[in-house]
Amino acid sequence: MRHVLAILKYKIRADFNLMTVPPEKTAVFICHCSGNISEHVDIKAVKAALKAEGISVFDYEYPCSSPGQDLIKSKIEEKGLEKVVIGSCTPSKHGLLFKKCIREAGLNRAMLEIANLREQCAWVHPDTAEATEKAITLLRGKLKRLDRGEPLQDIKVDISPHALVIGGGIAGITAALNLADNGVSTYLVEKDSSIGGQMAKIGKIFSPDKLAEECAMCSLSPLMNEVAAHPKITLLTRTEVEAVRGSAGKFKVTLRTRPGYVRDTCTACGRCSRVCPVLVGNEFNCGHKDKKAISMRFSQSVPKTYSIDPDHCLQLNGKTCGKCAEACRAKAIDFGQQEEVLELNFGAIIAATGFKEYDASQKPQYGYGIFENVLTQMELARMLGINGPTKGKLARLSDAGNLDAGNSNPDSSNPDSSNPDSSNPDSSNAPINAPALNSSESSSLKEKLSDPPVPGRIVMIQCVGSRDEKAGGIPYCSRYCCMAALKHASLIRKKYPDTEITICYIDMRAFGFYENYYRAVQDMGVSFVRGRPAEVIRKSDKSLIVRVEDTLNQKILELPADLVVLSAAMLPSPGTREIAGVLNVSQDETGFIKERHSKLKPVDSSVDGIFVCGTAQGPKDITDTIAQAGLAAARARAFIADSPKVLEHELASINQLTCTRCGDCLSCPFDALSFSESGRVVVDPLVCTGCGYCTEICERGAVQVAGFTKSQLKAKIEGVLETGDLLGFVNSGISSLTCDNIGNSVLSYPSNVKLVKVSTCLVVDKELIMHAFRHGAASVLFVEDPPDNPRAEVIFPLALRHFEKLKEELGADGPRLHFKKAYVPNTKGLAGTFTNLAREGEMNGEMVR
């Protein structure tokens, strides 16, 4: 019955609102989306309502499929259509596909509108009648907006033939080599002094088709050397991306390289490191204090050049030293080196910025950072590595002592690891996280503990930080942790068969062919206890007790341990979080760079021309990382090859007939507008972001953002609004993605929430807000991107100031205007804001009625 009423209601409204739309030249195509839309929206009722308004309506299971595209093209030709509305999923998924479809049918891309009937209708409104009514309003809003549409001129740009890969781990190395091998000139930038990333720290690695563990460096080192020797690859270490400007295909990137204070003439002989008097913490060895202020990251470093840590070098901190310069026969030491800044153009960018290990001290019940003999899987990997702090010797950290002070060659990367001229004691058996001792204590410990006993009992605790909804934890599975524990258990049992190993787990996740490895480790005698341990307790002899409930037999166990190893979660690296902001790409709620579509475009970011791979995109093992890096390289190469490219984002346009050449708009924060030689105001399409700031300051309205003109926004408002609605103007960037994610997260909000996408809220002025109030809006909400990327850092304060100015200008209506900052992780918060404001509007509407 409600559907019939809806049809009648919209038929009546059609007589007044759609008289200007030429029905015979416009058609609506509705997608069923395999039930995602049709099971929540009554498509028959929608078709009846729109047909009653004289609109041609067609529905199909999958308009995004080849037959669906053919249907759209054939109807355009058959009926002479000039304008098309598609009701489907979010435009961010298939928007480009549908634009290509209508272009091939001869229509301008501006003659297409996509109504989001899935993420912002079917998935957020569980009541079918409400979802159906909302779907009709969304389609009608798009129809009215198209009625005011004007063709857009395609702006084509030549794509730069160069690619930039950010991050020199196994993902970045693989991507760079794939690009270079296919003829693409590639720059590989790495913030550390050597490429290799986290994989270089791991002694041995597992593979899905092998039960034996392989040498990590045997796989990695040849690739690193190939990068250094490849004629198509320019390697820049100690380099970070400072800024990215321009648009897809024409990215202008600022790179800043820190000085290493060592010239390329360095022969890596190691004399400088041996004479250096300053010991520093070694990030490569998980903080172990075993390297000098001048060092290489590790012995197989690429480039194979020493560098100086300026934070610890005596000479660079105003003290007299210079011993490294005196010892260097190649005269490579240069204390006068300065930072270098490069500005280069790239056609495509790949982010491969890796991960970091979860800080296990956030779970104090396990004693990490409190008890010496509690360590993480990465620290255990370094201990078991032959180039690690204990040279591959398994030992309790409390037994190994701390021999940091005065190693004969504290730099574990030094190729001349023994120096008969040095009087410093050896520190090869130093622990990873033990407190420092002085030289005399260190020397006596060496004599006493030159061969510390092998731990007899090891307990590994899985999912430390992962799959944890409590404070300090993360909800997702980190994927690699179970296999890392199995690998280390296997390595230890093979080398030390008398060591007892117990793995405490929630679920052992050995997917695919890794199940064979899991069974092999079980056959070795490794014990498994199903249960998350409650706490770790230290006894007086520094041994440990792990208290855990075995959930299979419902018994409380106290497991004695000499070492406790925590399988800590995988988190996005600080570099990943930072580069996401610099590149202005979307992140998921946990901070990883969000792919555009997990199945169709798993390596494409939210920005055209920027791709992501490896653990910058999410937790994964080395095998999956390499596979994804190869795909990212293929996608980047295809993007570069597609030159010239049409810019898809909408730009500011100048009405030269009404423009007075006052120059106010030249205050554009991105310097996108300027006077031409003829005195006209012109827009640089490669610089303009379409933010709309110029529309706010142009008093004559001579500047508007194409696709978001005032007449188009008014028409959209008229089409979607009913009395008592909450109207949200949503920034087309992060804010729009956050709104989509409300539906993806199966959250809901009232159906009287109507969202209108805008370039930014700067294009919404007082006239538009009053227009919304006159057409029934109970309140208006600005949803704006947070200031966590270079563009938003500029836009957000301007938008907030604009909002406050409008609120004051609205006078008595000011309290009806609201502002919300939309972070992707805060989908629940945004849905809650929609719900609260919508209910307030409903109550106000009832009071008016």
Side-chain angles (χ1 to χ4, degrees):
M1 183 63 185
R2 291 189 65 179
H3 298 177
V4 175
L5 292 175
I7 295 169
L8 293 174
K9 177 168 60 175
Y10 288 106
K11 186 179 188 305
I12 294 171
R13 291 180 64 182
D15 297 334
F16 296 97
N17 294 321
L18 282 178
M19 296 299 292
T20 58
V21 177
E24 71 279 2
K25 297 295 184 181
T26 306
V28 174
F29 296 85
I30 302 176
C31 177
H32 289 239
C33 197
S34 191
N36 283 313
I37 294 174
S38 58
E39 289 176 4
H40 301 271
V41 174
D42 188 335
I43 292 181
K44 288 184 179 179
V46 174
K47 291 177 66 177
L50 294 179
K51 284 182 177 179
E53 299 170 357
I55 304 297
S56 297
V57 187
F58 308 95
D59 64 306
Y60 189 70
E61 279 291 337
Y62 314 105
C64 55
S65 66
S66 180
Q69 302 284 290
D70 291 340
L71 171 66
I72 295 172
K73 293 175 187 176
S74 66
K75 293 301 179 183
I76 290 174
E77 181 179 0
E78 175 188 327
K79 294 182 172 292
L81 299 178
E82 296 178 359
K83 300 174 182 179
V84 171
V85 174
I86 298 176
S88 61
C89 59
T90 173
S92 65
K93 182 176 180 182
H94 290 312
L96 295 179
L97 175 69
F98 288 133
K99 284 181 182 179
K100 179 182 178 183
C101 173
I102 68 160
R103 276 197 187 111
E104 292 175 350
L107 298 186
N108 185 274
R109 62 189 173 100
M111 299 299 106
L112 169 71
E113 288 286 342
I114 300 175
N116 190 345
L117 301 188
R118 191 177 74 175
E119 284 83 354
Q120 294 182 19
C121 186
W123 280 356
V124 292
H125 306 313
D127 182 88
T128 299
E130 292 181 355
T132 301
E133 289 189 24
K134 172 80 169 281
I136 295 172
T137 65
L138 294 180
L139 292 166
R140 291 189 70 258
K142 295 296 184 181
L143 287 165
K144 287 187 69 68
R145 178 169 173 150
L146 266 185
D147 191 37
R148 311 284 176 87
E150 297 178 357
L152 294 174
Q153 181 181 359
D154 285 345
I155 300 174
K156 296 184 178 181
V157 296
D158 292 325
I159 297 177
S160 171
H162 306 290
L164 172 65
V165 178
I166 307 170
I170 185 59
I173 289 170
T174 301
L177 287 172
N178 273 267
L179 285 165
D181 286 344
N182 283 280
V184 179
S185 174
T186 304
Y187 280 70
L188 175 60
V189 301
E190 166 58 45
K191 67 177 182 178
D192 284 328
S193 58
S194 169
I195 58 176
Q198 299 279 19
M199 184 175 171
K201 296 181 181 180
I202 303 169
K204 293 188 178 180
I205 55 177
F206 51 82
S207 299
D209 59 337
K210 296 181 177 70
L211 297 181
E213 298 82 13
E214 299 175 284
C215 166
M217 194 53 67
C218 293
S219 299
L220 182 62
S221 187
L223 297 178
M224 294 166 59
N225 293 325
E226 191 177 344
V227 165
H230 206 295
K232 285 284 186 178
I233 296 178
T234 301
L235 175 61
L236 299 174
T237 55
R238 302 188 310 280
T239 302
E240 297 186 63
V241 177
E242 189 171 84
V244 176
R245 297 179 296 279
S247 58
K250 282 285 187 180
F251 296 111
K252 190 172 185 179
V253 180
T254 302
L255 302 173
R256 185 175 295 274
T257 301
R258 303 185 310 276
Y261 305 101
V262 179
R263 300 188 189 96
D264 293 341
T265 55
C266 172
T267 61
C269 67
R271 292 184 179 87
C272 55
S273 184
R274 287 196 293 272
V275 300
C276 178
V278 181
L279 279 165
V280 299
N282 187 353
E283 173 274 334
F284 186 76
N285 268 347
C286 301
H288 176 68
K289 201 171 184 181
D290 69 343
K291 77 172 186 177
K292 294 293 188 69
I294 182 167
S295 63
M296 284 196 301
R297 188 165 184 256
F298 54 96
S299 58
Q300 293 82 23
S301 288
V302 172
K304 199 172 182 63
T305 305
Y306 277 69
S307 61
I308 295 176
D309 184 341
D311 293 331
H312 297 93
C313 174
L314 298 178
Q315 188 74 26
L316 291 173
N317 284 279
K319 299 179 182 179
T320 302
C321 182
K323 292 183 178 180
C324 55
E326 295 172 3
C328 180
R329 295 177 182 176
K331 305 301 180 185
I333 307 300
D334 181 3
F335 292 113
Q337 278 189 356
Q338 301 293 321
E339 284 189 337
E340 295 182 11
V341 178
L342 295 174
E343 285 201 348
L344 302 170
N345 292 321
F346 297 100
I349 298 173
I350 297 177
T353 42
F355 76 97
K356 73 170 184 178
E357 194 176 36
Y358 173 81
D359 180 6
S361 65
Q362 294 186 68
K363 297 296 176 181
Q365 63 268 34
Y366 296 142
Y368 182 79
I370 303 171
F371 306 148
E372 288 176 280
N373 295 322
V374 178
L375 67 163
T376 66
Q377 292 288 357
M378 181 61 79
E379 291 171 343
L380 179 60
R382 292 304 307 133
M383 180 187 288
L384 296 177
I386 59 172
N387 62 346
T390 62
K391 307 301 181 188
K393 172 76 173 179
L394 181 65
R396 291 202 318 174
L397 301 181
S398 57
D399 289 342
N402 189 306
L403 308 178
D404 287 340
N407 180 12
S408 63
N409 181 18
D411 177 15
S412 61
S413 65
N414 197 330
D416 296 333
S417 59
S418 60
N419 179 13
D421 298 329
S422 174
S423 59
N424 296 332
D426 184 8
S427 68
S428 62
N429 287 332
I432 296 170
N433 56 6
L437 304 178
N438 62 42
S439 298
S440 59
E441 291 173 322
S442 175
S443 181
S444 63
L445 269 174
K446 182 188 176 184
E447 294 176 3
K448 181 180 178 182
L449 301 169
S450 58
D451 190 20
V454 174
R457 296 161 300 187
I458 297 175
V459 175
M460 297 183 179
I461 301 177
Q462 300 304 102
C463 299
V464 176
S466 292
R467 304 177 65 193
D468 189 348
E469 300 286 349
K470 296 179 182 178
I474 53 175
Y476 57 80
C477 168
S478 292
R479 295 187 63 187
Y480 83 110
C481 315
C482 288
M483 289 305 304
L486 293 174
K487 177 195 72 173
H488 289 146
S490 173
L491 291 172
I492 293 170
R493 287 288 292 177
K494 288 175 182 176
K495 190 172 182 179
Y496 307 101
D498 294 332
T499 298
E500 298 176 7
I501 302 176
T502 302
I503 299 178
C504 300
Y505 67 98
I506 301 175
D507 300 292
M508 289 302 295
R509 296 187 170 183
F511 52 92
F513 294 108
Y514 289 131
E515 195 71 22
N516 295 329
Y517 195 97
Y518 180 22
R519 282 194 290 268
V521 173
Q522 288 176 308
D523 292 341
M524 289 180 180
V526 175
S527 301
F528 293 83
V529 174
R530 189 178 185 275
R532 190 194 291 271
E535 62 180 338
V536 175
I537 302 170
R538 182 170 61 179
K539 298 170 66 177
S540 58
D541 63 353
K542 296 187 178 181
S543 65
L544 304 167
I545 296 292
V546 178
R547 287 181 176 169
V548 59
E549 178 186 2
D550 187 336
T551 58
L552 293 180
N553 57 29
Q554 298 181 338
K555 291 183 179 180
I556 303 296
L557 304 177
E558 291 194 347
L559 305 175
D562 298 308
L563 275 181
V564 171
V565 184
L566 308 180
S567 296
M570 181 181 286
L571 301 179
S573 69
T576 295
R577 295 179 184 273
E578 181 180 344
I579 204 63
V582 173
L583 297 176
N584 193 26
V585 296
S586 300
Q587 296 170 266
D588 64 20
E589 59 273 14
T590 56
F592 291 103
I593 296 176
K594 177 70 175 174
E595 72 282 5
R596 185 166 294 184
H597 190 278
S598 58
K599 299 177 181 64
L600 302 180
K601 294 182 177 180
V603 297
D604 292 47
S605 76
S606 57
V607 176
D608 287 344
I610 299 179
F611 306 90
V612 60
C613 63
T615 52
Q617 182 268 329
K620 55 182 63 70
D621 63 10
I622 293 171
T623 302
D624 288 346
T625 292
I626 292 172
Q628 193 181 47
L631 175 59
R635 292 284 295 149
R637 179 178 178 274
F639 185 86
I640 290 173
D642 185 24
S643 182
K645 194 168 189 67
V646 176
L647 294 181
E648 295 292 345
H649 68 281
E650 315 304 356
L651 309 174
S653 62
I654 313 294
N655 185 334
Q656 300 294 345
L657 296 177
T658 57
C659 177
T660 63
R661 281 68 163 172
C662 67
D664 288 348
C665 60
L666 270 60
S667 62
C668 167
F670 301 100
D671 296 324
L673 289 87
S674 62
F675 283 122
S676 67
E677 293 182 359
S678 62
R680 292 187 170 192
V681 177
V682 294
V683 180
D684 186 338
L686 297 180
V687 178
C688 178
T689 65
C691 69
Y693 175 72
C694 49
T695 69
E696 178 199 8
I697 59 179
C698 181
E699 295 181 356
R700 295 182 61 86
V703 189
Q704 297 200 61
V705 177
F708 300 102
T709 65
K710 188 173 293 187
S711 64
Q712 287 175 313
L713 293 176
K714 281 184 175 180
K716 179 72 179 291
I717 289 169
E718 295 165 9
V720 300
L721 279 183
E722 294 182 298
T723 301
D725 283 351
L726 165 65
L727 178 65
F729 289 104
V730 181
N731 186 304
S732 59
I734 300 296
S735 300
S736 182
L737 175 65
T738 306
C739 291
D740 286 348
N741 281 345
I742 295 175
N744 295 333
S745 302
V746 200
L747 301 172
S748 63
Y749 51 81
S751 61
N752 66 331
V753 176
K754 308 295 175 60
L755 304 179
V756 175
K757 185 186 293 187
V758 291
S759 53
T760 75
C761 294
L762 290 169
V763 302
V764 183
D765 60 9
K766 180 181 176 182
E767 183 181 346
L768 283 173
I769 295 172
M770 295 307 298
H771 191 74
F773 289 155
R774 285 193 296 270
H775 283 79
S779 55
V780 171
L781 172 67
F782 285 2
V783 186
E784 194 56 61
D785 287 6
D788 58 1
N789 62 67
R791 178 177 183 266
E793 284 176 357
V794 174
I795 298 301
F796 182 81
L798 297 175
L800 186 59
R801 187 186 67 189
H802 178 59
F803 160 76
E804 292 169 346
K805 178 183 174 184
L806 287 173
K807 200 172 180 68
E808 183 178 345
E809 291 177 351
L810 289 170
D813 288 320
R816 299 167 68 185
L817 181 63
H818 307 273
F819 188 94
K820 179 70 174 178
K821 186 166 46 177
Y823 288 95
V824 171
N826 196 25
T827 51
K828 289 183 180 179
L830 184 57
T833 298
F834 289 163
T835 300
N836 294 335
L837 292 178
R839 287 173 179 168
E840 287 179 15
E842 289 174 354
M843 290 188 291
N844 293 336
E846 290 294 333
M847 291 173 64
V848 171
R849 287 193 286 270

